[in-house]
Amino acid sequence: MKKLINAPDDVVKESLLGVAAAHPELRVDHENRLVIRGDSPVNGKVGLVSGGGSGHEPLHGGFVGVGMLDAAVCGEVFTSPSPEPILAATTAVDGGAGVLHIVKNYTGDVLNFEMAAELAADSGAQVEAIVTNDDVAVQDSLYTAGRRGVGVTVIVEKLAGAAAEEGRNLAAVKEVAERVNGNGRTMGMALTSCVVPAAGKPTFDLPEDQMEIGIGIHGEPGRYRRDFAPASDIAEQLLEPVLSDMSFDSGDPVIALCNGMGGTPLIELYLMYGELKKILDGHHVTVARTLVGNYITSLEMAGCSITLVKADDEMIRLWDAPVSTPGLRWGM
Amino acid sequence: MKKLINAPDDVVKESLLGVAAAHPELRVDHENRLVIRGDSPVNGKVGLVSGGGSGHEPLHGGFVGVGMLDAAVCGEVFTSPSPEPILAATTAVDGGAGVLHIVKNYTGDVLNFEMAAELAADSGAQVEAIVTNDDVAVQDSLYTAGRRGVGVTVIVEKLAGAAAEEGRNLAAVKEVAERVNGNGRTMGMALTSCVVPAAGKPTFDLPEDQMEIGIGIHGEPGRYRRDFAPASDIAEQLLEPVLSDMSFDSGDPVIALCNGMGGTPLIELYLMYGELKKILDGHHVTVARTLVGNYITSLEMAGCSITLVKADDEMIRLWDAPVSTPGLRWGM
Amino acid sequence: MADVSLAQVQDWLVRAKDSVTEQRSYLTELDSAIGDADHGSNLTRGFGAVVDKLASQPAASIEALLKASGMTLVSTVGGASGPLYGTMLLRMGKAVGDADTMTATQLGEALRAGLEGVVARGKAEPGDKTMVDALGPAVEAFEKALTSGEGAATAATAAAQAAAAGRDDTEPLVARKGRASYLGERSAGHIDPGSASVTLLLEALAAALADG
Amino acid sequence: MADVSLAQVQDWLVRAKDSVTEQRSYLTELDSAIGDADHGSNLTRGFGAVVDKLASQPAASIEALLKASGMTLVSTVGGASGPLYGTMLLRMGKAVGDADTMTATQLGEALRAGLEGVVARGKAEPGDKTMVDALGPAVEAFEKALTSGEGAATAATAAAQAAAAGRDDTEPLVARKGRASYLGERSAGHIDPGSASVTLLLEALAAALADG
Ligand SMILES: Nc1ncnc2c1ncn2[C@@H]1O[C@H](COP(=O)(O)OP(=O)(O)O)[C@@H](O)[C@H]1O
Ligand SMILES: Nc1ncnc2c1ncn2[C@@H]1O[C@H](COP(=O)(O)OP(=O)(O)O)[C@@H](O)[C@H]1O
Ligand SMILES: [Mg+2]
Ligand SMILES: [Mg+2]
Ligand SMILES: [Mg+2]
Ligand SMILES: [Mg+2]
């Protein structure tokens, strides 16, 4: 394993030192491993807290700032943080209008955020949670822990963040988050495995002529393995399960995220987006807003995912609203 | 070789299809492989053209937009574009105030931009060029093709772009570019090789226990190979040649770019920046502005580079000026 | 038959820490086949913190000891297993109450309460290929041994054996809870990491009681 | 002794294309040792375009043919070698002028002009480990053969041999121009890719003149 790190166990802690050094506009709580908006708590604003295992950067720490998250809780690599720091984040961003937890659907995250919410409620805080679960790779989701939360989380954080910034109340911000999640679907794939620092070697072996379709963001194996194929084929394999799960051809504006898993260069991600767009055009999907890049990653894994959100005019307005975070910034 | 591509020879062409689909605010000239600001030519504004081989994304196409480049010329992967498209870009962005070519110092780029400038001059255009050459890895630069242009190019494009946007004339914009380049130094390293699509295999072999210090951005071998080391050591090895080449402890504000080579995850880049910052603090270098992320890459190469620019108040003001490009955006 | 002492409970947790630390790669290996390759490091970190905690702040009762350990696990393990093992110890402590010894019957009740806590938190059913598939049979075996007149040490040995059998039985199962469930049919053919760590914990318990 | 015809010049470029296409991996291999692994694909693309161009727009004179080919190289090769080889052909065409045959002497002058063009554009000196180290000796050998009374075909064979020798002599050199110069001492021990492609071009010339 070759990585730009010191000791594997210190990766998250030391990476946060860099975040603090690079972003004086943010506050870093090194003890609890939190990235917090500099002006938190914002009086009268709903506080947004997300978090989970590290290794998905820029998600979540890179999405803290005006118009998006108030705090991110950074667990060990691919390991949910414990309730204690989640509680600390909740307290730190509570500006009196309640706090929304944005949780990706993984058992560890759900259990730890649940325990934290119980503790916060005990001390009188008003906490709601939205669990994202957009990964169509998970079939038979009734017989499993349910679909995983992946790419849509970025868009939930952006739109709920904009809604909170507008001063909406907790129920209304939660409603936006649920609307985005309910209308979002994602499918991802990998060309290579990631390497968890503490493990020191690739999580899975993927032969040079194979790819894994339907992966999550933790090096979990995917839905199936298949012979490595050209980008145009891969685009078909990613979009087929998305488009057959939900219809996106209503004419409603669609937000598309062509996301890199970390190790794939941007030139390839744009090429993939070109292939995806061709298919979307053929299916009469009207993409109104697009992001192409590394937004929710799996360390150095090579691969990509496509997320589509069927939006409406209000959601597009919230998308366009100003945001100022290390990972997503416009309008200010 | 596993990449998200179709045929290796179509990578650049097809990637530009994705750029066009994702960025309706830009214009893509598919024949000449140009990415052009949507409102080009801007009347009375100095036009900024950069370009070179592809594979360094977001540089240069991702830096086209208000406050930065007017056009990027996209050559084949790691291969300079020819004079023809450079000339086409020059013509497309010439708003009557002349055009500045921003060229990274590589023989191919220099020769092709030179020929294009001669052709443009023949047809009456006013063209100046700035050749960036910030790579301190190149020793004995008098006996070589000179130092390579690397990380500083990003900062030159940002600051010259802001100066042009303010309406300064060609000589003044060029002066800003030269000031940035003259005060910028970069050193980079690699943990793995990149894979040029047309070659289909790693450009160099780097054993699992070795790293390459002093690399460029084309998979060229570096200054030396050494045993793989912890991030804190690597930070020392990168900064030593930078700080001994130029002094950055004058108290002047410094702009720092901790750049990923493409395949290194963000969590590691932030960790590296933490290590770099510790050393910079120890040397009384006052970092005023920081960028951490993939800005000038070498396909999927794992590794990083550090660029320091000794700035002044005006340069900081130009840095802070609004910019709206796919790869760098703030203030608008 | 001797009661189980506070010192033995503490010894259990120290042995548990030694065991997960020693088996760190084995647990992580299992987790990398059907999970995310961190179960070994999660538990090593968590039980390491538990032992540190007990060393710096000795507990006055079994309840206090198990509660402090449970809270420490919750706050240091993260992942799915943190809240689950944490809840298990918290419920065990509550069941025993404020005492510095407990009878074998009380230990059996505590284990049962721990199992119920894990099920309440994680909502796994038997056969879902989780730690419950080792913990459930272990608690039953413990209770059955007591019914046959055995003491705590022998019952714990039986529980550890039942856990190991439950662990091995997870191999052909298709996971329905936790990360492994995302694999569908592909989760079959691998042992569940949590059932393996439950087995280590019960083997540690048996050893602590045997030597005590 | 027969003059060199327009058809032979065209045949040269077709053979050059075949040769660089066939040796694509070899050239790229050399470039990956001390450059950026694209010399083979650069020239394959460039000479492929030259041949396409000549097929679709037959040239009426040697000057027109070489100019069109030079412009095509400049506009399709990119990289350092595009402007250099392009300039070489442009200067050669200019030297020959508007004719459909040329004497061996004229060809020698054209090659000399081509070399001067490469040097003017790239500013390399002999020993800098560039294409000049093959092209320079080749031009000299060509001129020397003419002085000894040989014809164009024999002179071209001598030039190709001198190029090959120059190519091999680049191996121990430390590069001072182009990408390879960034390697410093580490560029020694490898043949310069441009000197290898120059050799292929001169071998193609010798073959075109021998068969013509
Ligand atoms: N809902 C659940 N109920 C009971 N046990 C579970 C549940 N989900 C997961 N587990 C157990 O947790 C183990 C994984 O723990 P660990 O790897 O530490 O956490 P994570 O899956 O978050 O990485 C699984 O092997 C399984 O035994
Ligand atoms: N300044 C120069 N003068 C002459 N030849 C040069 C010069 N710079 C580079 N070359 C030649 O160009 C060759 C490399 O060509 P190529 O790989 O196509 O371009 P690039 O280096 O831009 O990738 C080198 O092997 C060398 O022979
Ligand atoms: Mg985990
Ligand atoms: Mg090149
Ligand atoms: Mg796990
Ligand atoms: Mg080359």
Side-chain angles (χ1 to χ4, degrees):
Chain A
M1 171 187 58
K2 282 195 288 189
K3 285 176 179 284
L4 298 175
I5 63 174
N6 298 303
D9 288 345
D10 295 336
V11 170
V12 176
K13 182 180 81 183
E14 294 182 347
S15 184
L16 285 175
L17 293 174
V19 171
H23 299 290
E25 75 280 11
L26 300 175
R27 226 157 66 211
V28 175
D29 172 344
H30 293 285
E31 201 192 315
N32 285 302
R33 308 219 176 145
L34 310 179
V35 179
I36 310 173
R37 207 174 126 161
D39 58 353
S40 263
V42 182
N43 208 6
K45 189 183 91 67
V46 171
L48 261 59
V49 173
S50 192
S54 294
H56 309 303
E57 291 69 23
L59 184 100
H60 301 275
F63 297 141
V64 174
V66 180
M68 219 160 160
L69 297 179
D70 292 83
V73 191
C74 309
E76 285 299 313
V77 172
F78 294 174
T79 299
S80 169
S82 63
E84 222 166 69
I86 302 174
L87 177 63
T90 305
T91 309
V93 307
D94 191 346
V99 175
L100 181 67
H101 286 176
I102 301 176
V103 187
K104 301 191 296 304
N105 188 33
Y106 293 94
T107 304
D109 288 328
V110 171
L111 297 184
N112 283 288
F113 270 90
E114 240 171 53
M115 288 188 91
E118 290 165 15
L119 293 171
D122 286 352
S123 59
Q126 202 190 346
V127 179
E128 294 282 341
I130 152 91
V131 177
T132 60
N133 57 354
D134 52 313
D135 189 354
V136 297
V138 179
Q139 294 167 300
D140 303 326
S141 51
L142 289 178
Y143 305 98
T144 65
R147 286 182 166 171
R148 297 172 290 218
V150 283
V152 85
T153 314
V154 178
I155 303 173
V156 167
E157 292 178 4
K158 171 67 185 82
L159 270 60
E165 207 66 51
E166 280 187 356
R168 298 200 208 174
N169 67 25
L170 183 55
V173 173
K174 183 178 174 186
E175 185 277 325
V176 167
E178 275 171 344
R179 189 141 40 101
V180 177
N181 180 57
N183 286 288
R185 298 290 186 276
T186 296
M187 182 79 181
M189 61 81 58
L191 293 173
T192 63
S193 172
C194 50
V195 178
V196 176
K201 52 180 184 158
T203 307
F204 56 89
D205 288 316
L206 196 50
E208 184 55 32
D209 59 348
Q210 300 252 294
M211 62 184 180
E212 185 98 26
I213 303 280
I215 45 124
I217 53 172
H218 302 88
E220 316 94 311
R223 206 200 255 197
Y224 59 83
R225 255 173 211 202
R226 197 157 282 185
D227 283 350
F228 171 59
S232 56
D233 270 36
I234 295 173
E236 291 280 2
Q237 293 188 50
L238 292 181
L239 278 178
E240 192 281 324
V242 169
L243 296 178
S244 67
D245 196 78
M246 198 174 112
S247 82
F248 285 90
D249 57 1
S250 54
D252 290 315
V254 167
I255 301 173
L257 165 60
C258 177
N259 173 64
M261 301 308 297
T264 284
L266 203 49
I267 191 171
E268 295 179 30
L269 291 180
Y270 272 108
L271 190 151
M272 269 306 297
Y273 183 64
E275 296 296 339
L276 293 162
K277 185 64 166 35
K278 257 188 256 173
I279 301 173
L280 292 173
D281 286 347
H283 284 78
H284 308 292
V285 178
T286 45
V287 178
R289 296 294 183 274
T290 311
L291 271 187
V292 178
N294 292 333
Y295 291 96
I296 168 169
T297 61
S298 186
L299 295 171
E300 69 275 79
M301 179 184 278
C304 69
S305 64
I306 174 72
T307 300
L308 298 182
V309 174
K310 188 162 71 179
D312 52 38
D313 290 349
E314 193 212 13
M315 283 154 80
I316 296 291
R317 197 175 52 68
L318 292 170
W319 177 259
D320 290 341
V323 60
S324 177
T325 72
L328 211 60
R329 186 163 174 186
W330 55 70
M332 61 188 295
Chain B
M1 170 186 60
K2 282 196 288 189
K3 284 176 178 285
L4 297 175
I5 63 173
N6 297 303
D9 288 344
D10 296 336
V11 169
V12 176
K13 182 179 81 183
E14 294 182 346
S15 185
L16 285 175
L17 292 174
V19 170
H23 300 290
E25 76 279 12
L26 300 175
R27 225 157 66 210
V28 175
D29 172 343
H30 293 285
E31 202 191 313
N32 285 302
R33 308 219 176 144
L34 310 178
V35 179
I36 310 173
R37 209 174 124 159
D39 58 353
S40 262
V42 182
N43 209 5
K45 187 182 94 64
V46 170
L48 260 60
V49 173
S50 190
S54 293
H56 309 302
E57 292 69 23
L59 184 101
H60 300 275
F63 297 141
V64 174
V66 179
M68 217 159 161
L69 296 180
D70 292 83
V73 191
C74 310
E76 285 299 313
V77 172
F78 293 174
T79 298
S80 169
S82 63
E84 222 166 70
I86 302 173
L87 176 62
T90 306
T91 309
V93 308
D94 190 346
V99 175
L100 181 68
H101 285 176
I102 301 176
V103 187
K104 303 190 293 304
N105 188 31
Y106 293 95
T107 305
D109 289 328
V110 171
L111 297 185
N112 283 288
F113 270 89
E114 240 172 54
M115 288 189 89
E118 290 165 14
L119 293 171
D122 285 352
S123 57
Q126 203 191 346
V127 179
E128 293 282 343
I130 152 92
V131 177
T132 60
N133 57 353
D134 53 313
D135 189 355
V136 298
V138 178
Q139 296 167 298
D140 303 325
S141 50
L142 288 179
Y143 304 97
T144 64
R147 287 183 165 171
R148 296 172 290 218
V150 283
V152 87
T153 315
V154 177
I155 302 172
V156 167
E157 292 179 2
K158 171 66 185 82
L159 270 60
E165 207 66 50
E166 281 186 355
R168 299 198 207 174
N169 67 24
L170 182 55
V173 172
K174 183 179 174 185
E175 185 277 325
V176 167
E178 276 171 344
R179 189 143 38 104
V180 176
N181 181 58
N183 286 288
R185 297 292 185 275
T186 296
M187 182 80 179
M189 60 82 58
L191 294 173
T192 63
S193 172
C194 50
V195 178
V196 176
K201 53 179 185 163
T203 307
F204 57 88
D205 288 317
L206 196 50
E208 185 55 31
D209 59 347
Q210 300 253 296
M211 61 184 180
E212 184 97 25
I213 303 277
I215 47 124
I217 52 172
H218 302 88
E220 314 94 311
R223 207 200 256 196
Y224 58 82
R225 257 174 209 202
R226 195 156 284 185
D227 283 350
F228 170 59
S232 55
D233 270 36
I234 295 173
E236 291 281 2
Q237 293 188 49
L238 292 182
L239 278 178
E240 192 280 323
V242 169
L243 297 178
S244 68
D245 196 78
M246 197 174 113
S247 83
F248 285 90
D249 57 1
S250 54
D252 290 315
V254 167
I255 301 174
L257 165 60
C258 176
N259 174 63
M261 301 308 296
T264 284
L266 203 50
I267 190 170
E268 294 178 31
L269 291 180
Y270 272 108
L271 190 151
M272 269 305 297
Y273 184 64
E275 295 296 339
L276 292 162
K277 184 64 166 32
K278 256 188 256 173
I279 301 172
L280 291 173
D281 287 347
H283 283 78
H284 309 290
V285 177
T286 45
V287 178
R289 296 294 183 275
T290 312
L291 270 188
V292 178
N294 292 332
Y295 291 97
I296 169 169
T297 61
S298 185
L299 294 171
E300 68 274 80
M301 180 184 276
C304 70
S305 64
I306 174 71
T307 299
L308 299 181
V309 174
K310 187 161 72 177
D312 52 40
D313 290 347
E314 193 213 11
M315 283 155 80
I316 296 291
R317 198 175 52 69
L318 292 171
W319 177 259
D320 290 341
V323 59
S324 177
T325 72
L328 212 60
R329 187 164 174 186
W330 55 69
M332 62 188 295
Chain C
M1 232 165 308
D3 280 351
V4 177
S5 70
L6 174 59
Q8 282 176 310
V9 178
Q10 173 142 354
D11 186 38
W12 168 38
L13 295 172
V14 172
R15 285 172 188 271
K17 178 233 160 191
D18 292 343
S19 177
V20 297
T21 305
E22 200 185 297
Q23 301 295 321
R24 175 179 175 154
S25 330
Y26 161 67
L27 294 173
T28 291
E29 197 81 22
L30 293 178
D31 199 28
S32 86
I34 56 170
D36 60 350
D38 64 2
H39 194 54
S41 24
N42 288 349
L43 294 190
T44 301
R45 184 174 59 247
F47 280 93
V50 164
V51 168
D52 289 351
K53 174 90 180 181
L54 296 179
S56 70
Q57 297 181 19
S61 72
I62 295 177
E63 178 173 21
L65 186 145
L66 288 172
K67 276 203 165 167
S69 302
M71 285 308 295
T72 303
L73 282 187
V74 168
S75 69
T76 56
V77 170
S81 57
L84 292 167
Y85 276 128
T87 302
M88 180 180 94
L89 294 191
L90 288 170
R91 293 286 185 97
M92 284 179 73
K94 203 167 168 192
V96 177
D98 187 18
D100 63 2
T101 62
M102 59 181 164
T103 61
T105 308
Q106 278 179 301
L107 175 53
E109 285 162 3
L111 287 170
R112 167 67 58 189
L115 168 64
E116 284 168 1
V118 169
V119 170
R121 182 63 62 209
K123 310 202 173 50
E125 291 175 22
D128 280 357
K129 194 176 183 122
T130 69
M131 54 171 68
V132 169
D133 293 330
L135 192 57
V139 172
E140 267 161 46
F142 193 98
E143 291 168 345
K144 194 161 152 234
L146 294 193
T147 313
S148 325
E150 303 291 354
T154 311
T157 304
Q161 281 161 359
R167 171 199 65 201
D168 294 344
D169 288 349
T170 64
E171 185 167 336
L173 297 178
V174 172
R176 297 192 175 195
K177 278 283 178 294
R179 285 179 200 289
S181 70
Y182 299 128
L183 295 181
E185 303 291 334
R186 288 166 76 183
S187 61
H190 300 277
I191 285 175
D192 173 63
S195 73
S197 58
V198 160
T199 304
L200 297 180
L201 296 199
L202 286 159
E203 285 167 357
L205 179 64
L209 299 187
D211 289 9
Chain D
M1 232 163 305
D3 281 352
V4 177
S5 69
L6 174 61
Q8 281 175 312
V9 178
Q10 173 142 353
D11 186 37
W12 168 38
L13 295 171
V14 172
R15 284 171 189 271
K17 178 232 159 192
D18 292 342
S19 177
V20 296
T21 305
E22 199 185 297
Q23 301 295 323
R24 176 179 174 153
S25 332
Y26 161 67
L27 294 173
T28 292
E29 198 81 22
L30 293 178
D31 199 29
S32 85
I34 56 171
D36 60 350
D38 64 1
H39 194 54
S41 25
N42 288 349
L43 294 191
T44 300
R45 187 174 55 248
F47 280 94
V50 164
V51 169
D52 290 351
K53 174 91 178 181
L54 296 180
S56 69
Q57 296 180 18
S61 72
I62 295 177
E63 176 172 22
L65 186 145
L66 288 172
K67 275 203 166 167
S69 303
M71 285 307 296
T72 302
L73 281 187
V74 168
S75 68
T76 56
V77 170
S81 57
L84 292 167
Y85 277 129
T87 302
M88 180 180 95
L89 294 190
L90 289 171
R91 293 287 184 98
M92 284 179 73
K94 204 168 167 189
V96 177
D98 188 20
D100 62 1
T101 62
M102 60 181 164
T103 62
T105 308
Q106 278 178 300
L107 176 53
E109 286 161 4
L111 287 169
R112 168 66 59 188
L115 168 64
E116 283 168 1
V118 168
V119 171
R121 181 66 60 209
K123 314 209 169 43
E125 290 175 22
D128 281 357
K129 194 176 182 123
T130 69
M131 54 172 68
V132 168
D133 293 329
L135 191 55
V139 172
E140 267 161 47
F142 192 97
E143 291 167 346
K144 195 162 150 232
L146 294 192
T147 312
S148 325
E150 303 290 354
T154 310
T157 303
Q161 282 161 357
R167 171 199 66 202
D168 294 342
D169 288 349
T170 64
E171 185 167 336
L173 297 177
V174 172
R176 298 192 174 194
K177 277 283 178 295
R179 288 180 197 288
S181 69
Y182 300 127
L183 295 181
E185 302 292 334
R186 288 165 75 184
S187 61
H190 300 277
I191 285 176
D192 173 62
S195 73
S197 58
V198 160
T199 305
L200 296 180
L201 296 199
L202 286 159
E203 284 167 356
L205 179 65
L209 299 187
D211 289 9

